[in-house]
Amino acid sequence: MKFLTDMHIHTISSGHAYSTVDEIARFAGEKGLKIVAITDHNSGLPGGAHDYHFNNLRAIPRNLYGVTVLRGMEANIIDFDGNIDATEDTMHGLDFAIASMHPPCLNFGEKNEVTRAMIGAMENPYVTILGHPGDNRYPFDHEAVVLAAKRTGTILEVNNASLKPGGFRPGVRENLVILLDFCKRYSVRVMANTDAHIAYAVGEFAESIKLFEEVNFPKELILNLHPEQILDFITLKN
């Protein structure tokens, strides 16, 4: 499988990442990607970017090194109702947002609480991707989340960084096997992303591809293989 998109990437503006937009786009072009997205952490996570950063993302050219560059954010889910730490005004100017759970922003919860938080975030019209589900510390109802993704048109992420051996999110592989089984059952499209925090990791999907092959996941449901379908989910802003 040759993946053509990577839509969860952090720059130096995230505070704990190490590459610039130019470096990321250059590496993406060299690896044959068609679409990348800059999705720095919002300020709710220590070291994350200020609203001014996101409000000025229009300064980034739409095309660099032959790669289309999307302008996004990784927002933090901050309560079990699924609220996120980003204002409507800021998100309105972005192409899309990822909503994720991070321990500094949301305490670990019970299965029913986490499920409610995930579904609440997916019901936010500005949230396009649910970031790195599968952490055992945030247990959830897999079938309910997949059905909510289908209903809301939200993309469920297969996070390559979380799948790497030695990753700090326990249980991700096992949870994603279950999640992908329900995605197959209900024909829900998913997307692998690297969650790269340095340019060298952009477009490196070995763990995700291995997982897709192990569970015999249908290629038509993997959005990385169909970049032309990305705009079914995302309306590009000026």
Side-chain angles (χ1 to χ4, degrees), residues 184-215:
K184 284 197 288 186
R185 186 180 307 181
Y186 295 113
S187 298
V188 172
R189 291 182 284 186
V190 302
M191 175 186 291
N193 289 314
T194 63
D195 198 356
H197 284 61
I198 194 164
Y200 311 117
V202 172
E204 296 294 324
F205 288 106
E207 299 300 326
S208 300
I209 291 171
K210 184 190 305 182
L211 178 61
F212 284 135
E213 291 176 343
E214 285 177 1
V215 302

Side-chain angles (χ1 to χ4, degrees), residues 97-172:
I98 301 169
S100 304
M101 294 181 175
H102 297 106
C105 306
L106 183 68
N107 292 330
F108 303 132
E110 300 298 322
K111 183 176 181 178
N112 64 317
E113 294 176 317
V114 175
T115 301
R116 179 160 54 90
M118 288 180 167
I119 293 173
M122 288 191 287
E123 288 174 344
N124 186 317
Y126 293 103
V127 171
T128 301
I129 298 173
L130 183 68
H132 48 71
D135 187 331
N136 273 345
R137 299 170 299 175
Y138 292 114
F140 65 99
D141 183 323
H142 301 79
E143 184 173 21
V145 167
V146 169
L147 288 172
K150 186 177 183 70
R151 174 173 56 83
T152 60
T154 309
I155 302 166
L156 298 174
E157 179 182 73
V158 173
N159 188 282
N160 196 79
S162 299
L163 286 168
K164 290 181 178 179
F168 62 88
R169 295 187 180 106
V172 168

Side-chain angles (χ1 to χ4, degrees), residues 50-129:
H50 190 274
D51 281 356
Y52 293 168
H53 163 84
F54 298 104
N55 294 340
N56 197 44
L57 283 175
R58 66 178 67 89
I60 300 173
R62 274 295 181 199
N63 190 285
L64 290 168
Y65 304 101
V67 180
T68 298
V69 181
L70 304 185
R71 304 156 186 165
M73 166 199 289
E74 184 177 15
N76 303 291
I77 300 173
I78 57 173
D79 60 34
F80 293 121
D81 290 323
N83 291 305
I84 60 176
D85 63 346
T87 67
E88 185 173 335
D89 285 346
T90 296
M91 290 190 293
H92 182 72
L94 301 174
D95 296 325
F96 73 102
I98 301 169
S100 304
M101 294 181 175
H102 297 106
C105 306
L106 183 68
N107 292 330
F108 303 132
E110 300 298 322
K111 183 176 181 178
N112 64 317
E113 294 176 317
V114 175
T115 301
R116 179 160 54 90
M118 288 180 167
I119 293 173
M122 288 191 287
E123 288 174 344
N124 186 317
Y126 293 103
V127 171
T128 301
I129 298 173

